Amino acid sequence: MASTLVDLVKITSNSTGTGAITLGSSVAGYRGFEALTNGEVYSYSIQDGDAWEFGRGTFMSATGQFIRTPIDSSDGGAAINLRQNAQIAFVALSEDLDAVQLSNAAVAAAEQVAIDAAQVAADRAIVEAGSKTVVNGEAVYPNTYASTVPQGVINLSNDGITTGSGGTPGTYAGGVTGGPNGFSWEYSIGLDGKIASYEITSPGISTDTTAPTLSYGSGSITGAVVPTATVAARIAQASSYWAISTDGSTLDLYSNVAGSPSPVLDPTGDQVKVFVSAGAEKVVDAAESWAQSPTAPDPLDPTSKSAKGWAGEAQAQSTNLSNATFAKYFVFPGFVRSDNGRIDTTTTPGVYVNTGYLDLDEINLAEINLQGGTGAYSIAYYTSAFALISGVAASSNDAYVNTIPAIPSNAAWAALSARATQGSQRLLVAVKPAKFLDGQPDAGLMGNGNLFTLLRSPGYYNNASPPVLVADPNWINSDPIKVTPGYQISYDAYASTTVSILRYTDASGAYAGRVLGTAANTRNTINAIVPGAAAYTGSIFGTTLTVTAIASGTLSVGSVVGGASAGTIITALGTGTGGTGTYTVNNSQTLASGALTQPAAQFAQMSAGNPGALGAAATSPTMPNTIKYGPAASTGLAAPSTLEIAVGDNLKTYITANGFVTSTGTTPNADANWRRTPSRLTMRAAGEGKRYIAYEARGSNSMSLISAVDGSGTVVGSVLGSGSFTQFKGTFEVPDTAVSVHLCHAAAYPATFQYLIQQPATGAPVIAPTANIGTIPDSRSSTQYPTYRTLLENRFGCSVQQLGLPGATVQTTSADTYLSTVTSALPNPRMIVILPGGNDAGAAGSVGTFSASSPNGVAGEAVKTIPTAPYPATPTGLSFIEYIYITGAKLRDFYKDIRTRAGIVGGDTEAQKSAKLAAVQKTLIVWITDLPQQRGDASNPFSLPANHERKRQAVIEVAKLLKMPFVDIQGKYPIDMSLEPFYVAPTTPGINNGNLTEDGLHWNEVLQSVGVDMLAAEVG
């Protein structure tokens, strides 16, 4: 059995004997049982005088007990008789740590596996067209590509931009003749009738570099120059990929070396390969783990198998992976009709299954192989209002659909159907990462702001108390969702009076209340406050609860009445509105006046009508199918249309009216060329943290994309449009005095408005207090700028050492003499943050690239060979990209040598090895792309934007090659250097003469704060 591993947990016993252990307080210098999770299995060891015991056990939070199962002990393997205050250490056992038996090389390889696995999730990999799947982050290709590197379209020239005339606005599929198989592209025509943009939608795959011939199809454009496609290697220089062996029994790993496949060898000299039965599949999900059957061991745990063993076991789980993924999503009976896109649950029952509606904001479809028929869509796309856009059905009955059609630009949902008997059918999905900053109590559940997207299982909870799940595919329900007492849930969807739209449970999973629909089989608009803990005095006669005193808390509709008959809940307000007064309860009874309680709800399960199965009314624009969540309005319950927008909300869902917003915040017309919010959106108070709106939209002269308004109706901040349907992208910081916002964008173009809050650091730190962080390599990361250290310490909750060397170039900081000071000062850090390039101009020809054809390659720079170990102690004569690669590689190699850092020696016992390994931090190395600067005057090489961009791209290229996370401040945060001074040495740190920099070179506290927030979002 696999154990859950925790760091630095040692707890005293509050009980004696040989039975379950009642856990007491933590041992000084260690964490207590708050670090444990209810129901999880943990490995442990006990040393009580001369007695000893080790084994595994289960933690039960309700009783505070640890139920132990000894593996061995000084009492012949039986549980030892504990004395009071015996110490229980939660450590990894030798059974958990087979990896410590490996050679140093194999352990390093296993550690790299874990790093690679984390990077797979951090990269948020999406399977590209032309490759069937991915294994450990690398694409898998047919056997043909064992002898030639896969080619595809990597670029379209920009000759066609803003040319042509007379076109119909919209986005169209481009015409293709020849070239890589599966290549596709699309182009957009703006409101001015000209080509506005085009992009590659699938690079295709080929064995050669023959380019396709492109043409414009729909849209009636005339006079436009057709773009030219460039075909090159889809696999970047020195990157690897899998190719299926000739007999189909293995996947063999190759690397792109100078344009040709080269076998990747393991430490024994054999080519790296994995054995497969029906193909090895990988799903990238938010948990950063392999999708697998619930009983399968985690093959990415480097402590569970040898470096080769984990890969073999992962592939052995191939069938389990596909089965588990298919079963997870195909949970509804029936199929998607190809005549109208509706889900048919009554025709040919038992023959088909379907997924219901999958939110395209949350998942990517990675691979399908679905058996269907001519009357059933295997995959269909829908608008946000569930209107059918398009679909694909099998060419004949029982035929398969295995190509995922391009997702329309206006698609919000997808539904898939398949034969009920899985057979060789497959479905693989990749879960998209969250789109909001961490830190809010409700942030983990927001998705795109609509909790309706979390209703994914068939059936509903009925009106019993507690409610019982009824299996009915006409309804859908959610898993338990973490909620905060006192917050408001606003429900606007199809429901009924016999359906519990909300079912509450407390922290232990016990029933805590429910809320029923208020109208039978129609749209229900309901607001509910999540019940919090309360204590009060009351009596019940019939169905009337009379409350005479409140000791604590506020009463809520839907809450359980603790102390009354089982299942009694408050169903309606009488004269009471949360305090003393009368309330209606569901169970008639007679109860004398006495002490009553209300449990605090910690989880909510939601039920609603399945939009695909309840008739036209359920999917019409008048059926919003929205469930919103956020802080309760200060005066009463707000209606859904005016509910305060919540963190993580995709504000595009609120932009429903025609017309534009002026620079003064007025809405003078209903011009259909523009879309805007019908009324201003209310925001949280500024005191809860800095507020931002990340936006990408098109605007024009005399209009405002974002207008922030104070309490008197005055515009206090805005993002103004310019030109004619110009593209704008950035992050708008909402002024503290603003209480609401108006939003507007060009109707013919896609737009995104994301609401974010940066809260002060509170609660559990991102990194444990026992850890520390180091910042390198130049003055911007040095002790000259202590505000950077303070911001990091406040945000991450641990100590920070600033080790930057003022005036140092990337050559200086790639040398062993500098890096040895870093590793000596930080032998066991949790994170190293690298912000390179402050003293390197980045001039053309000095930066370099490792792959001119890679999307991450630095354009126009000479192609360099990736440095390999052993790296020079004092590198000289190299380019910018080579120096920073060597810096990252040296730090990686030092910190990944876990055994050496742990100080394990041959005479160590397994317990000693475990203790040493547990004390070693798994160091995360994170890059920050170089920041713009300006020195002397605008002609200075350090002032040129092109040089800034070269250094930025080089950092991204190196971070991806080394499989390390990076924070792209320059690429994602608007930095207007026209507002900054020109740096002239010397300057005095701490004197702020600029907007985002102190002096044109060194970032000030404002930009440092942005960087720290982005860093927390990346590693949190």
Side-chain angles (χ1 to χ4, degrees), residues 169-240:
T171 300
Y172 306 97
V176 179
T177 302
N181 182 41
F183 163 69
S184 61
W185 67 292
E186 66 181 22
Y187 58 94
S188 295
I189 300 176
L191 293 177
D192 57 2
K194 299 180 179 181
I195 296 293
S197 64
Y198 44 67
E199 64 177 340
I200 298 169
T201 54
S202 172
I205 187 168
S206 175
T207 57
D208 58 45
T209 58
T210 302
T213 301
L214 310 185
S215 61
Y216 293 120
S218 303
S220 303
I221 190 77
T222 58
V225 178
V226 178
T228 301
T230 300
V231 177
R234 289 184 53 173
I235 309 299
Q237 172 76 9
S239 295
S240 53

Side-chain angles (χ1 to χ4, degrees), residues 772-910:
N772 56 358
I773 298 173
T775 63
I776 62 172
D778 56 36
S779 61
R780 296 171 300 181
S781 303
S782 73
T783 54
Q784 291 183 353
Y785 296 90
T787 54
Y788 183 32
R789 183 194 70 241
T790 301
L791 288 166
L792 284 167
E793 289 179 338
N794 289 341
R795 184 65 167 161
F796 287 89
C798 64
S799 63
V800 173
Q801 292 192 56
Q802 293 176 289
L803 300 174
L805 184 63
T809 64
V810 292
Q811 177 183 354
T812 304
T813 54
S814 67
D816 288 359
T817 51
Y818 171 73
L819 293 178
S820 62
T821 65
V822 175
T823 55
S824 296
L826 295 167
N828 193 27
R830 184 62 186 89
M831 183 164 65
I832 299 288
V833 183
I834 309 176
L835 170 55
N839 296 298
D840 296 87
S846 69
V847 174
T849 185
F850 295 129
S851 176
S853 63
S854 168
N856 303 313
V858 182
E861 290 295 293
V863 177
K864 305 293 184 178
T865 301
I866 297 176
T868 57
Y871 305 107
T874 307
T876 58
L878 303 178
S879 64
F880 178 90
I881 198 168
E882 291 171 297
Y883 286 127
I884 63 174
Y885 183 95
I886 290 173
T887 300
K890 286 181 176 180
L891 291 172
R892 175 200 62 192
D893 292 349
F894 175 83
Y895 287 116
K896 80 176 183 181
D897 190 354
I898 304 297
R899 285 177 66 90
T900 299
R901 291 170 57 206
I904 293 176
V905 296
D908 286 344
T909 65
E910 293 306 316

Side-chain angles (χ1 to χ4, degrees), residues 436-472:
F436 43 82
L437 296 180
D438 195 13
Q440 288 294 331
D442 53 323
L445 59 79
M446 286 314 303
N448 71 346
N450 182 5
L451 272 64
F452 190 88
T453 64
L454 303 182
L455 278 64
R456 299 194 180 105
S457 300
Y460 67 93
Y461 283 94
N462 66 12
N463 58 348
S465 186
V468 176
L469 182 63
V470 177
D472 184 343

